[in-house]
Amino acid sequence: MIETPSLVDQYCHGVLRTELGLGTFEAHLARTEGPPAPGTTFFDTQTGFAVRRWCPPLLGLEPHCPPARYLARRRELGVLETGRRLLRGSGITTYLVDTGPPGDLTGPGEMASAGEADAHEIVRLELLAEQVADTSGTAESFLANLAESVHGAAAHAVAFASVAGVRHGLALAPEPPGPGEVRGAAGRWLADRSVGGALTDPVLLRHLLWIAVASGRPLQLHAGAGESGPDTERTDPALLTGFARATAGLGTDLVLLHGYPYHRHAAQLAGAFPHVYADVGAALVRTGARAAAVLSEIMEPAPFGKLLFSSGARGLPELHVVGARLFREALARLLGTWVAEGAWSLADAQRVAEMIAAGNARRVYGLD
Amino acid sequence: MIETPSLVDQYCHGVLRTELGLGTFEAHLARTEGPPAPGTTFFDTQTGFAVRRWCPPLLGLEPHCPPARYLARRRELGVLETGRRLLRGSGITTYLVDTGPPGDLTGPGEMASAGEADAHEIVRLELLAEQVADTSGTAESFLANLAESVHGAAAHAVAFASVAGVRHGLALAPEPPGPGEVRGAAGRWLADRSVGGALTDPVLLRHLLWIAVASGRPLQLHAGAGESGPDTERTDPALLTGFARATAGLGTDLVLLHGYPYHRHAAQLAGAFPHVYADVGAALVRTGARAAAVLSEIMEPAPFGKLLFSSGARGLPELHVVGARLFREALARLLGTWVAEGAWSLADAQRVAEMIAAGNARRVYGLD
Amino acid sequence: MIETPSLVDQYCHGVLRTELGLGTFEAHLARTEGPPAPGTTFFDTQTGFAVRRWCPPLLGLEPHCPPARYLARRRELGVLETGRRLLRGSGITTYLVDTGPPGDLTGPGEMASAGEADAHEIVRLELLAEQVADTSGTAESFLANLAESVHGAAAHAVAFASVAGVRHGLALAPEPPGPGEVRGAAGRWLADRSVGGALTDPVLLRHLLWIAVASGRPLQLHAGAGESGPDTERTDPALLTGFARATAGLGTDLVLLHGYPYHRHAAQLAGAFPHVYADVGAALVRTGARAAAVLSEIMEPAPFGKLLFSSGARGLPELHVVGARLFREALARLLGTWVAEGAWSLADAQRVAEMIAAGNARRVYGLD
């Protein structure tokens, strides 16, 4: 039996602090814009079924009990106690928490305490830049403050993350933009921008990513169709080949998040470039009963030292649970089958399991 | 045991009315241009093997009997009796029939009668436009007649379908073209066109699709490499993201047909947009012994309320049989496995099976 | 039990002539630029684990023994004896050997003798053109010599192969370039070129490929991410649709190599065009324990008469072994399962296995 006693969740978010009704809970089960179609529900998804499989027993209910029953029990326990029971039941021992997304989610400290685990911060680059813009007067001061701010964040963050960079910038041009180009873009953006305005300018995004590369902290890039919402046109990680080539040998690692449905392409890139890594977790939360199959595809082209577990969870501690349970069960089943077939040795399987579950992340992020 | 007593074939064509020789029959087993390569036969395909598995018993023969034996029995029974036995043996209870393609195929009424089933018409937009062009003198009258004709068809059709739209139009520009642009394109197309000439002008195709959207009837879009022949460059349903976004919230549903080998991308879009649905059937006919595997991939990212069975069959009633049998067996095996593993409850599995087999189609197309 | 007594390796390279240390051996286990990432090894890949499964027993060791133990035994036997034992243990009965790549690899004659097998030469087009350029003075003489050289090679080669053509040429424009365009490109290339300089000019590459098409010998095109290194942007075989259409009916077969991770697209093209074939082997060497799953995907859309086994091996005879063993075991398992499920008849399965293992290659390359 393949075991993974340590589990480093290399990319997740915090959880909501408020009590949830059925509709709000349901909305967090899908990565979509807009409500479910008439006559359908997001509970009828692989994610929904996986939540109903794994979470009710942690709250003292039967697996697959009806959503309304589950939500009632959740309110009965209260959001804090629910969070504690779920996070502690997930088996995750370290959380790397993206503090970027808007909304009142718990931070790394609260995650650590609720989950009885370690936790570290991932800094979202776009948000950092928007905060700097809110307090900078001119393009010159914005650019100076931005560099300083990224540099400062690198001292405490375990990694940087970028969501918009892939879609709006890197897929179009991998090289760092020139200083004049950057100043022009900064001037135009600041002039048009009201406080809190989002950064989608391709030149500034590329500039921001290259500052992050210079910091030496691992850079997590959202690819695939996960976080990015419906913009699936420019989310194939194969589009990052140029950026991977441009950053090769600079000493900064790139971690491709959310590759599904292009997860094989992400794993392929992780196999082609020494400094590129691929996430195996977020795809599993979304594919549920298919987790072992999706994981097996990711494990085809990438060296096993280049794959990292994550839950990709956001908002609901149920998603941390589902991410961890699906991963562990899928990995144990898959590697167990390969051992039974004689394709792998048991010692290799156990060793690879521990690498993907925790060891690779410890090495890449310098944990311990 | 998961069961699906009702089966709505949400996209198929009629069957040939003439007796078939071995060569003509074989030609309908593949979606290709040109004959099989020297030394090969289309019987040696997943589709060919699936036909030989499921159809001979319906005509009183052993499964996997040689093609020549099967064709002899077919001629012995005659095309009408063969069609009746096969269609009635398929288990399909409602056919939605695309009456667009050229060739002497049976229409919805004949399909209903031969198959002892319900049947409804799907109107092919390109054909409708070509018929309008054949009888319209000027660009102005063509455009006026076109709008009227689509509007009229919407009164009796259960859906519209478009084959060329994806390849020639939507992948390039999702928005509706302006009136001047449309008039210019119509003038040029009519001037160059002889009677029966095909509509491939990108501007007119986009105009046509937007008229159909305005009608409110579900719009079926051929994506993937199925119907479209060898034009695989522009058939990835991910290219429809822009059109999906442009039509969101207008009240018209889009149904993506033939997604294979991009079926995960189609299912992903169905998950990202409330008004987008994905077909699960046509891919199965073409992949035969792999049907459960392909179906399982489609069932990863899409909510289960967004998936619709079809056979995608054309010309041979054998393809309706194969589509239905492969789907039913694949679905029962897949969901049965998930139930056995504890990933799904049996009640959920039975409910989801009925949704994909018939319930979702009834809701989307307003059947009953 | 499905058996394949003959095995034609339709695309491979020779093996290294020198004794190998652990590092050199490891470097040949991956298709990547640069060393493994710090803290990782290419032995921890599907290919590495497959080598450790299949090869130690052929040298008298236990499966999965440590790499250092295996390398020590290899040196003990010597490179010649190791090569003989491995190649003779692979089960391959005919090698088609690409003699193009740089480096001191054994040629077809040595492969035949070491492996007690037949062997034939595949001529790499780019290398041929570079050799012609090294000895041609003017653009005119270069172009005349090039045509003569390709024509001459066609007399003894079983096939032509092109690596750069897909990436730099065909994906951008499928048609043959005009004579003036070719003369201009040749003049510019020769003027800038030092002896041995690589051919990457898109116009000359397309010209070269069209000369090869005119020769009538099968043309092997590298697609997918295999040989091509990290240039994954333009390696989707779907990009060859235009070239396939342009060469249809000319009497020359195209064979798509290395389709992974786009292997379904390659198989799809093989299904759409009578003269297009797809390789099933190289993907298996890279995916190891997943070989049956990857093979099953390739066997979805292509007629079974259009699929060809290869090892895609280069440098290490271990890779020929792994390619052959993985293929045989995956095929037997897959087809055996389909027979057990009733989806295929045993006679069909045995027949299809022999076609993919050897019969299709014999027909396409005119062996015997």
Side-chain angles (χ1 to χ4, degrees):
Chain A
M1 187 57 201
I2 314 292
E3 291 186 353
T4 47
S6 288
L7 208 47
V8 177
D9 186 346
Q10 69 123 9
Y11 186 81
C12 68
H13 306 263
V15 300
L16 292 159
R17 303 170 196 274
T18 51
E19 303 292 342
L20 300 176
L22 198 60
T24 319
F25 187 91
E26 182 188 351
H28 280 83
L29 296 175
R31 291 290 172 87
T32 180
E33 294 179 12
T40 76
T41 158
F42 294 148
F43 280 105
D44 284 347
T45 56
Q46 293 284 6
T47 305
F49 282 15
V51 165
R52 286 176 51 220
R53 173 193 197 175
W54 295 111
C55 298
L58 293 174
L59 305 189
L61 301 172
E62 289 292 302
H64 301 295
C65 75
R69 175 83 194 83
Y70 180 77
L71 267 291
R73 173 65 177 154
R74 216 182 184 279
R75 282 189 299 272
E76 193 177 291
L77 290 168
V79 68
L80 274 178
E81 177 61 17
T82 297
R84 268 194 296 268
R85 292 197 187 190
L86 291 171
L87 293 176
R88 289 173 194 191
S90 72
I92 295 169
T93 48
T94 303
Y95 296 91
L96 309 193
V97 183
D98 180 347
T99 55
D104 186 23
L105 301 182
T106 57
E110 292 159 288
M111 289 296 286
S113 148
E116 281 189 328
D118 290 330
H120 303 275
E121 185 180 5
I122 297 164
V123 169
R124 180 84 69 103
L125 288 170
E126 289 84 355
L127 191 71
L128 193 70
E130 287 153 20
Q131 289 166 343
V132 170
D134 287 346
T135 58
S136 299
T138 64
E140 283 67 27
S141 72
F142 166 69
L143 292 172
N145 294 342
L146 184 64
E148 196 176 333
S149 197
V150 172
H151 191 74
H156 64 87
V158 287
F160 288 110
S162 171
V163 170
V166 172
R167 259 181 303 160
H168 292 293
L170 297 184
L172 307 174
E175 301 293 337
E181 204 184 347
V182 170
R183 266 195 307 274
R188 279 189 300 278
W189 182 55
L190 291 173
D192 291 351
R193 182 176 184 273
S194 47
V195 167
L199 175 59
T200 58
D201 178 85
V203 169
L204 289 182
L205 282 166
R206 278 162 54 211
H207 175 65
L208 181 59
L209 289 167
W210 277 97
I211 297 179
V213 166
S215 82
R217 295 308 308 160
L219 176 55
Q220 301 178 327
L221 297 168
H222 286 249
E227 183 85 13
S228 320
D231 274 306
T232 52
E233 303 103 318
R234 285 199 218 125
T235 55
D236 185 343
L239 295 167
L240 289 171
T241 306
F243 187 64
R245 193 175 299 113
T247 54
L250 299 180
T252 296
D253 290 328
L254 308 181
V255 182
L256 307 179
L257 301 177
H258 292 298
Y260 184 91
Y262 304 99
H263 45 289
R264 274 172 164 161
H265 303 188
Q268 171 82 28
L269 270 188
F273 292 98
H275 67 306
V276 176
Y277 293 77
D279 177 76
V280 306
L284 309 190
V285 176
R286 306 178 71 233
T287 56
R290 289 279 300 164
V294 171
L295 178 60
S296 70
E297 293 179 351
I298 298 173
M299 292 187 71
E300 289 164 5
F304 308 127
K306 307 297 282 303
L307 298 174
L308 305 164
F309 163 71
S310 82
S311 70
R314 182 167 69 191
L316 304 180
E318 280 82 358
L319 298 176
H320 298 83
V321 170
V322 161
R325 294 293 180 100
L326 285 172
F327 168 72
R328 275 190 151 153
E329 199 193 52
L331 192 69
R333 197 201 312 180
L334 202 57
L335 272 50
T337 304
W338 292 342
V339 170
E341 293 171 356
W344 287 30
S345 75
L346 178 60
D348 282 332
Q350 183 57 53
R351 189 171 54 85
V352 167
E354 287 169 13
M355 285 163 56
I356 302 179
N360 292 336
R362 287 217 186 89
R363 191 181 66 249
V364 169
Y365 297 106
L367 308 179
D368 299 321
Chain B
M1 185 58 200
I2 314 292
E3 291 185 352
T4 47
S6 288
L7 208 48
V8 176
D9 186 346
Q10 69 123 8
Y11 186 80
C12 69
H13 304 262
V15 300
L16 292 158
R17 301 170 196 274
T18 52
E19 303 292 342
L20 299 178
L22 199 58
T24 320
F25 187 91
E26 183 189 350
H28 280 83
L29 295 177
R31 290 290 172 86
T32 178
E33 294 180 11
T40 76
T41 159
F42 293 148
F43 280 105
D44 284 347
T45 55
Q46 294 284 7
T47 306
F49 283 15
V51 165
R52 285 175 52 219
R53 173 192 199 177
W54 294 111
C55 298
L58 293 174
L59 305 189
L61 301 173
E62 289 292 301
H64 300 295
C65 74
R69 175 83 194 83
Y70 181 77
L71 267 291
R73 175 64 177 155
R74 216 182 185 279
R75 282 189 300 272
E76 195 177 289
L77 290 168
V79 68
L80 275 177
E81 177 61 17
T82 297
R84 268 194 296 266
R85 291 196 188 191
L86 291 171
L87 292 176
R88 289 174 194 190
S90 72
I92 295 169
T93 47
T94 303
Y95 296 91
L96 309 194
V97 184
D98 180 346
T99 54
D104 186 24
L105 301 182
T106 56
E110 292 160 288
M111 288 296 286
S113 147
E116 282 189 328
D118 290 331
H120 303 274
E121 185 180 4
I122 297 164
V123 169
R124 179 83 69 102
L125 287 169
E126 290 86 353
L127 192 71
L128 193 70
E130 288 152 21
Q131 289 167 341
V132 170
D134 288 346
T135 57
S136 299
T138 64
E140 282 67 28
S141 71
F142 166 70
L143 292 172
N145 294 343
L146 185 64
E148 196 176 333
S149 197
V150 172
H151 191 75
H156 64 86
V158 286
F160 289 110
S162 170
V163 171
V166 173
R167 258 181 302 160
H168 293 292
L170 297 185
L172 307 174
E175 300 293 336
E181 202 184 349
V182 170
R183 266 195 308 274
R188 280 189 302 279
W189 182 55
L190 292 173
D192 292 350
R193 181 176 185 273
S194 47
V195 168
L199 175 59
T200 58
D201 178 85
V203 169
L204 290 182
L205 282 166
R206 279 162 54 209
H207 174 65
L208 180 60
L209 290 166
W210 277 98
I211 298 179
V213 167
S215 82
R217 297 305 311 159
L219 176 56
Q220 301 178 327
L221 297 168
H222 287 249
E227 182 86 11
S228 322
D231 274 305
T232 51
E233 303 102 319
R234 285 199 218 126
T235 56
D236 185 343
L239 295 168
L240 289 172
T241 306
F243 187 65
R245 192 175 301 114
T247 54
L250 299 181
T252 297
D253 290 327
L254 308 181
V255 182
L256 307 180
L257 300 178
H258 292 298
Y260 185 90
Y262 304 100
H263 46 288
R264 274 173 164 160
H265 302 189
Q268 172 80 29
L269 270 188
F273 292 97
H275 67 307
V276 175
Y277 293 78
D279 177 77
V280 304
L284 310 190
V285 176
R286 307 179 70 232
T287 56
R290 289 278 300 164
V294 172
L295 178 61
S296 70
E297 293 178 352
I298 298 173
M299 292 186 71
E300 288 164 6
F304 308 127
K306 307 297 282 303
L307 299 174
L308 305 164
F309 163 71
S310 83
S311 70
R314 181 167 70 190
L316 304 179
E318 280 83 358
L319 298 176
H320 297 83
V321 170
V322 161
R325 294 292 180 100
L326 285 173
F327 168 72
R328 275 190 150 154
E329 200 194 50
L331 191 70
R333 195 198 316 177
L334 202 58
L335 272 50
T337 304
W338 292 342
V339 170
E341 292 170 356
W344 287 30
S345 75
L346 178 59
D348 282 331
Q350 183 58 52
R351 189 171 55 84
V352 167
E354 287 169 13
M355 285 163 57
I356 302 179
N360 292 337
R362 287 215 187 90
R363 190 180 68 248
V364 169
Y365 297 106
L367 307 179
D368 300 318
Chain C
M1 185 59 201
I2 313 291
E3 292 186 352
T4 47
S6 290
L7 208 47
V8 176
D9 185 346
Q10 70 122 11
Y11 186 81
C12 69
H13 305 262
V15 299
L16 292 159
R17 302 169 196 276
T18 52
E19 304 293 341
L20 300 177
L22 199 60
T24 320
F25 187 92
E26 183 188 350
H28 280 83
L29 296 176
R31 292 289 172 86
T32 178
E33 295 180 11
T40 76
T41 159
F42 294 148
F43 280 104
D44 284 347
T45 54
Q46 294 283 7
T47 305
F49 282 14
V51 164
R52 286 175 52 218
R53 172 192 199 178
W54 295 110
C55 298
L58 293 173
L59 306 188
L61 301 172
E62 289 292 302
H64 300 296
C65 75
R69 175 82 194 84
Y70 181 77
L71 268 290
R73 174 66 177 155
R74 215 182 185 280
R75 282 189 300 271
E76 193 177 291
L77 289 168
V79 69
L80 274 177
E81 178 59 18
T82 297
R84 268 194 296 266
R85 291 197 188 191
L86 291 171
L87 293 176
R88 288 173 195 190
S90 73
I92 295 170
T93 48
T94 303
Y95 296 92
L96 308 194
V97 183
D98 180 346
T99 55
D104 187 22
L105 301 182
T106 57
E110 292 159 288
M111 289 296 286
S113 149
E116 283 189 326
D118 291 330
H120 303 275
E121 185 181 3
I122 297 164
V123 169
R124 180 82 70 103
L125 287 169
E126 289 85 354
L127 190 71
L128 194 71
E130 287 152 21
Q131 289 167 342
V132 169
D134 287 345
T135 58
S136 299
T138 64
E140 282 68 27
S141 72
F142 166 70
L143 292 172
N145 294 342
L146 185 64
E148 196 176 331
S149 196
V150 172
H151 191 74
H156 65 87
V158 287
F160 289 110
S162 171
V163 170
V166 171
R167 258 182 302 160
H168 293 293
L170 297 184
L172 308 174
E175 300 292 337
E181 203 183 348
V182 171
R183 266 195 309 274
R188 280 189 301 277
W189 183 54
L190 292 173
D192 292 351
R193 182 176 184 271
S194 47
V195 167
L199 176 59
T200 59
D201 178 85
V203 170
L204 290 181
L205 282 166
R206 278 162 54 209
H207 175 64
L208 181 60
L209 290 166
W210 277 97
I211 298 179
V213 166
S215 82
R217 297 305 309 159
L219 176 56
Q220 300 178 328
L221 297 169
H222 286 249
E227 182 86 10
S228 321
D231 274 307
T232 51
E233 302 103 319
R234 284 199 219 126
T235 56
D236 185 343
L239 296 167
L240 289 171
T241 306
F243 187 64
R245 193 175 299 114
T247 54
L250 299 180
T252 296
D253 291 327
L254 308 181
V255 182
L256 308 179
L257 300 178
H258 292 297
Y260 185 90
Y262 304 100
H263 45 287
R264 273 171 163 162
H265 302 187
Q268 171 82 27
L269 270 188
F273 292 98
H275 67 306
V276 176
Y277 292 78
D279 178 76
V280 305
L284 309 190
V285 176
R286 306 179 70 233
T287 56
R290 288 280 300 163
V294 172
L295 178 61
S296 70
E297 293 178 352
I298 298 173
M299 292 187 70
E300 288 164 6
F304 308 127
K306 307 297 282 303
L307 297 174
L308 305 164
F309 163 70
S310 83
S311 70
R314 182 167 70 189
L316 304 179
E318 280 83 358
L319 299 176
H320 297 83
V321 170
V322 161
R325 294 293 180 99
L326 286 172
F327 168 71
R328 274 190 153 154
E329 201 193 51
L331 191 70
R333 196 199 314 178
L334 202 59
L335 272 50
T337 303
W338 293 342
V339 170
E341 293 171 356
W344 287 30
S345 74
L346 178 59
D348 282 332
Q350 183 58 53
R351 190 169 56 83
V352 166
E354 287 169 12
M355 286 163 55
I356 301 179
N360 292 337
R362 287 216 186 88
R363 191 180 68 248
V364 169
Y365 297 106
L367 307 179
D368 299 321

